[in-house]
Amino acid sequence: MNKITYLPAVLLVAGTLASSAAHAQERNLTLSPGFMPDPMQRSYVSGGGQDASGIFGTDMRGVGCSGSISQTPDHIMTLNDRFDFLQIWNQSGADTTLVIDGPGRFLLCDDDGGEGLNERIEHSDWVPGEYRIYVGSYGGGVHNYDLFVSELPGSRLEGASGGYADTSEDRHLAISPGFSPDPWRVSFVSGGAQEAASQFGTDMRGNRCQGSVATTPDHQMTLNESFSYLQLWTLADGDTTLIVDGPGKFLLCDDDGGMGLNEHIEYTNWPAGDYQIYVGSYSDDYLNYQLSISELASEGPSR
């Protein structure tokens, strides 16, 4: 069984930069009005050796640019046509910053304008051309993040998707037996640049792990105590996959075990500890999904 090994940050950055040419398509975006999926997602690593304040100063709104950024853009967003509105935000477990350097005098910067220490930039009248996007680290270091771009005002908040109800705003959870609400639900966006089959192989039941997943978990589930039973299932806009990577050799994978192209994992005897949850895309698409977790056997996608 192959399982992800978490490398020190320096090695992670080196490996990522070394493979930047191979992953250029995943890091960059070319958009026209009506693009799908919306939001569009890209994942990478923040930070670098340049001071954004010294390079860019203040943006066209008078907002100071901040954070340590790389010499080259983390992403290049090419707009084929004019957009009346776009919003760009990122999600990270650390304090990051955002700089968007566009055609002419176009420059937008943000620090903590989103949820928590994350960034959000909303703007109208985006002209066609190339926009260089830098995701910085406020206190130095490097941090994994997910970047999102949407042309839908107010309809995609911090990666939450698709009008699904009863959804937590927190992507991670820590639970004990008897947790509430049950089911616990959260929405996000599937997919990424890594092949689950090469990263994980087969799970402890012999199921092959499938789909394209992000380099970092979509959700972390901490079990404060052991559970005698838990089930996880997805509801998505397309064909997704599900991977739960837990303590020791605990590994469960599923594709289409739920209703239609959705996933459903049921299992007994979950040891206490941290579980990394990945929701993959079977194809190369980024798909809106809702993940549900319950300790009640009476719940579930078809009950």
Side-chain angles (χ1 to χ4, degrees):
M1 179 189 306
N2 295 323
K3 302 193 73 175
I4 285 182
T5 300
Y6 291 93
L7 299 176
V10 173
L11 295 181
L12 175 61
V13 173
T16 304
L17 294 178
S19 61
S20 61
H23 289 1
Q25 185 60 41
E26 287 83 1
R27 287 174 50 196
N28 299 334
L29 311 92
T30 301
L31 305 176
S32 298
F35 66 85
M36 291 293 289
D38 186 335
M40 189 74 70
Q41 177 190 8
R42 293 294 185 265
S43 302
Y44 199 51
V45 181
S46 71
Q50 306 299 310
D51 181 7
S53 176
I55 295 174
F56 293 103
T58 57
D59 72 7
M60 60 192 190
R61 303 167 302 178
V63 175
C65 304
S66 59
S68 301
I69 61 174
S70 60
Q71 290 183 330
T72 57
D74 299 302
H75 313 275
I76 294 178
M77 179 177 69
T78 302
L79 303 185
N80 292 327
D81 301 287
R82 182 182 296 273
F83 278 79
D84 293 332
F85 173 86
L86 279 177
Q87 58 173 322
I88 300 176
W89 70 95
N90 74 309
Q91 284 193 257
S92 175
D95 193 355
T96 53
T97 64
L98 185 59
V99 177
I100 304 174
D101 179 22
R105 296 178 180 270
F106 188 103
L107 181 64
L108 293 174
C109 298
D110 185 58
D111 177 35
D112 302 345
E115 183 180 89
L117 297 177
N118 293 303
E119 285 60 59
R120 175 180 293 275
I121 287 176
E122 299 184 31
H123 190 70
S124 56
D125 194 18
W126 298 68
V127 301
E130 287 191 353
Y131 293 77
R132 294 163 292 281
I133 301 175
Y134 301 80
V135 181
S137 296
Y138 188 81
V142 293
H143 310 291
N144 297 309
Y145 68 82
D146 296 301
L147 181 80
F148 298 89
V149 181
S150 176
E151 64 174 333
L152 304 176
S155 62
R156 298 291 191 270
L157 299 178
E158 306 308 324
S161 66
Y164 297 125
D166 262 344
T167 297
S168 170
E169 294 182 357
D170 193 347
R171 287 169 52 198
H172 310 305
L173 77 160
I175 55 177
S176 300
F179 68 89
S180 180
D182 185 341
W184 179 87
R185 293 189 172 100
V186 64
S187 297
F188 200 51
V189 180
S190 71
Q194 307 298 314
E195 281 299 320
S198 62
Q199 293 291 336
F200 296 101
T202 57
D203 72 5
M204 58 192 189
R205 300 175 301 183
N207 294 329
R208 185 167 179 79
C209 304
Q210 301 190 65
S212 300
V213 299
T215 56
T216 57
D218 299 301
H219 313 279
Q220 180 166 303
M221 177 177 69
T222 299
L223 303 185
N224 298 321
E225 305 172 43
S226 61
F227 277 76
S228 59
Y229 172 86
L230 276 178
Q231 59 172 324
L232 299 84
W233 67 93
T234 59
L235 176 64
D237 294 341
D239 195 354
T240 53
T241 65
L242 183 61
I243 297 166
V244 183
D245 181 20
K249 296 185 177 182
F250 190 104
L251 181 65
L252 294 174
C253 299
D254 183 60
D255 177 36
D256 302 345
M259 298 179 63
L261 297 177
N262 293 298
E263 283 61 59
H264 187 202
I265 288 177
E266 294 185 88
Y267 197 72
T268 57
N269 192 23
W270 296 68
D274 290 332
Y275 293 75
Q276 287 74 47
I277 300 174
Y278 301 78
V279 181
S281 296
Y282 191 82
S283 64
D284 293 331
D285 294 327
Y286 293 88
L287 301 168
N288 297 311
Y289 69 83
Q290 182 187 75
L291 174 71
S292 299
I293 300 174
S294 177
E295 64 174 332
L296 305 176
S298 59
E299 295 290 341
S302 59
R303 296 168 189 172

